[in-house]
Amino acid sequence: MLDFARKHLFAPLGINEVIWPPDPQGITRGWGDLHLHPRDLAKIGYLFLNNGLWEGKQLLSAAWVEKSTQPQVDRAIKTKTFVRPGRDYGYAWHLVSEGPFSGMYYAAGRGGQSLTVLPEANIVTVITGGENELLEYEGARIGEFVLSITDQALPKNPEGNENLQQKTEAITDASSPEQIHLPEIAQIISGEEFILEENFLNFNTISLRFKGQEEAEVRFSMIDPSSGKYTQLVAPIVTQLVASMRLDGIYTFVPGRFGLYTGIKGGWDTNGDFLLTIDEITDINVFELRMSFEAEKVTIVLNEKTGLIVNETFEGVRQN
């Protein structure tokens, strides 16, 4: 599917950098995992906004664009927890047919990603991440943005400016804690390898080696889903990489999946648990592992910030 899309869609649109991984059988994951730059994703929205026409060439039939943006399934879309009324669904597009945003259609992804087309306003918007929360109606923020468009200057908002300034300072503050204390268990398990039970991330072993108070090394081995063989990793999804990890809350960047960068950080909490965060910076996943160590075993609780994994618990035993 990726080869077909490169020839008939991406190349004509001038989209040159694409990541669309296959499954272990080599079949492109048509359900998702497509990686595009925001501007390139916007080109797809612009193509639909113009009824499949791109620079004078009809890349998609206008009939297909019209059909895919018309209701094709029951408007009450059921999830595991609730039913969302008032939202239609076409072919891969969510459709809005009521209220002030009527006529808008959008593609919504996990973690706040969205591509939205508003034909009446001649606007295409792309968002590559949000607050990792499930909105009752994913298109609401975009709709509110459109309703706020005006040719007049916006009123001053000193409270909002102050809030933005505080958050900016908090994000950019790279100051380290005054002192980091390693618990006694840190020295006991430092450098020891723990063999893990089956888990979502396919990690087979884990090892932490502490280098003083502010630095550590995390080492994994991982089951390669496509071959069934174990591959030595030191950082997520990367073979034969030795990477140090800071313990002061600041990310260390290492190569990750698909050649994209990943951030890792770790630290001990007041309960004596080690918290490891694996943030696929240019992807949508943020994995958080809470590790409770004993001399001979570790218990790990795995969560993913967007809800992909919730409280998966597995254990590991120290390798003798």
Side-chain angles (χ1 to χ4, degrees):
M1 189 186 302
L2 175 57
D3 293 337
F4 182 87
R6 285 186 187 277
K7 180 178 179 180
H8 297 285
L9 181 64
F10 299 144
L13 292 176
I15 298 176
N16 300 313
E17 293 187 280
V18 179
I19 297 172
W20 202 359
D23 65 14
Q25 289 72 43
I27 300 172
T28 303
R29 299 174 187 170
W31 51 264
D33 269 1
L34 175 63
H35 296 62
L36 294 172
H37 291 291
R39 181 178 293 274
D40 288 338
L41 181 57
K43 291 177 180 179
I44 295 177
Y46 190 76
L47 181 65
F48 271 77
L49 179 67
N50 289 278
N51 297 310
L53 190 67
W54 180 266
E55 295 183 344
K57 184 177 181 180
Q58 198 74 40
L59 298 186
L60 295 177
S61 72
W64 167 255
V65 172
E66 181 179 7
K67 191 171 184 178
S68 62
T69 55
Q70 295 297 317
Q72 301 294 339
V73 297
D74 191 338
R75 62 183 297 141
I77 298 178
K78 298 179 180 180
T79 69
K80 293 181 179 180
T81 55
F82 59 90
V83 176
R84 298 178 188 170
R87 188 182 71 177
D88 296 325
Y89 196 69
Y91 293 143
W93 293 101
H94 300 285
L95 315 175
V96 181
S97 55
E98 298 177 356
F101 316 133
S102 179
M104 178 173 73
Y105 54 92
Y106 62 97
R110 181 166 54 89
Q113 304 173 91
S114 68
L115 167 63
T116 305
V117 180
L118 302 98
E120 289 190 10
N122 199 37
I123 288 177
V124 174
T125 66
V126 169
I127 296 178
T128 55
E131 295 298 323
N132 297 315
E133 61 186 17
L134 178 64
L135 296 178
E136 181 178 350
Y137 166 50
E138 290 95 331
R141 287 181 177 170
I142 299 300
E144 291 169 0
F145 162 73
V146 172
L147 292 179
S148 71
I149 294 176
T150 174
D151 57 0
Q152 304 296 319
L154 296 176
K156 293 183 178 181
N157 185 357
E159 181 180 350
N161 288 339
E162 177 64 23
N163 185 33
L164 176 61
Q165 182 66 26
Q166 291 176 359
K167 289 189 175 183
T168 302
E169 291 175 355
I171 291 172
T172 57
D173 183 11
S175 59
S176 301
E178 293 184 3
Q179 191 172 6
I180 299 174
H181 296 282
L182 298 184
E184 182 179 349
I185 191 66
Q187 299 306 319
I188 297 174
I189 60 96
S190 181
E192 299 292 337
E193 188 174 60
F194 291 81
I195 302 174
L196 304 177
E197 297 174 336
E198 183 178 347
N199 57 86
F200 180 89
L201 292 177
N202 286 324
F203 290 157
N204 180 52
T205 64
I206 186 171
S207 175
L208 295 172
R209 185 182 300 276
F210 295 95
K211 304 176 179 180
Q213 299 290 314
E214 297 186 358
E215 191 175 0
E217 178 184 286
V218 58
R219 180 182 295 270
F220 298 102
S221 67
M222 178 187 174
I223 301 173
D224 181 351
S226 62
S227 68
K229 298 179 181 179
Y230 298 124
T231 305
Q232 286 295 322
L233 301 178
V234 186
I237 331 282
V238 182
T239 59
Q240 302 301 327
L241 171 69
V242 177
S244 295
M245 172 178 60
R246 298 177 61 154
L247 302 178
D248 57 5
I250 299 175
Y251 280 105
T252 298
F253 297 105
V254 298
R257 292 190 300 165
F258 318 126
L260 304 174
Y261 275 101
T262 290
I264 59 173
K265 66 179 180 180
W268 297 94
D269 70 1
T270 55
N271 297 320
D273 293 341
F274 189 82
L275 305 180
L276 173 65
T277 301
I278 302 173
D279 189 338
E280 295 188 305
I281 304 296
T282 48
D283 210 324
I284 204 66
N285 299 312
V286 182
F287 300 104
E288 298 175 335
L289 296 86
R290 175 179 291 273
M291 295 182 279
S292 302
F293 285 98
E294 299 177 22
E296 300 297 326
K297 76 171 187 177
V298 60
T299 301
I300 300 177
V301 179
L302 172 64
N303 283 279
E304 196 284 318
K305 196 172 181 181
T306 68
L308 179 64
I309 313 165
V310 179
N311 293 332
E312 180 192 19
T313 302
F314 54 98
E315 294 186 344
V317 294
R318 189 172 72 169
Q319 187 172 10
N320 295 323

